[in-house]
Amino acid sequence: DVIETVPVTLYFRDESGLLAPEQRLLELYEGQTLAESLLSALLEGPRERGLSPVIPEDFVFNGVRVEDRVCYLSLSSKALTLLPEVAEEQEIILRSIALSLYSIETVDELCILSDGEELQQFGQVSIDLIRFRPNEGEAP
């Protein structure tokens, strides 16, 4: 049974290659968190025409939890090997994940872990780029 329906914003690539928002209503089922549901929707890809997925195929999120306004996102080391080699592409993936998670009102900070260790880099891109929720009006 659906226990709640929550509006979120997911970020996918538009026709010009930039990130674009897609509004979505997520149905939460018993035992499922909003962050888990959001990441599943992000992996499924966009529903709107003109948008394309950003996350590499076979990419897996090990887990996600939100505690004291910090979202802890756990990735497998295998997922990190699926990242494209180009830093700009890695940054688009990182921003897509972060901006989508920041559409959850209770998330102000993002901490990315792999094998229990906090990452400082996502491929070649510094995690500091997305560590905190952008201020209103700041470009994503």
Side-chain angles (χ1 to χ4, degrees), residues 129-140:
L129 196 64
I130 53 82
R131 184 168 310 277
F132 299 99
R133 171 191 295 275
N135 294 322
E136 290 297 319
E138 273 186 29

Side-chain angles (χ1 to χ4, degrees), residues 67-125:
E67 222 172 84
D68 299 325
R69 304 192 71 81
V70 179
C71 179
Y72 296 91
L73 177 60
S74 178
L75 306 176
S76 70
S77 47
K78 180 184 183 289
L80 294 172
T81 66
L82 297 173
L83 292 176
E85 290 183 21
V86 180
E88 289 78 12
E89 291 297 309
Q90 295 169 0
E91 184 177 331
I92 285 176
I93 294 166
L94 183 62
R95 285 187 184 277
S96 167
I97 294 167
L99 291 171
S100 298
L101 285 167
Y102 286 134
S103 77
I104 299 173
E105 284 181 20
T106 57
V107 175
D108 287 333
E109 187 177 342
L110 185 57
C111 179
I112 301 179
L113 308 160
S114 180
D115 299 330
E117 297 291 320
E118 184 176 346
L119 295 180
Q120 301 304 313
Q121 297 282 123
F122 184 81
Q124 303 165 55
V125 181

Side-chain angles (χ1 to χ4, degrees), residues 8 10 12 24 26 36-46:
V8 296
L10 302 175
F12 299 104
R24 184 101 51 101
L26 297 183
E36 289 168 341
S37 181
L38 181 143
L39 291 176
S40 292
L42 199 57
L43 288 172
E44 286 169 16

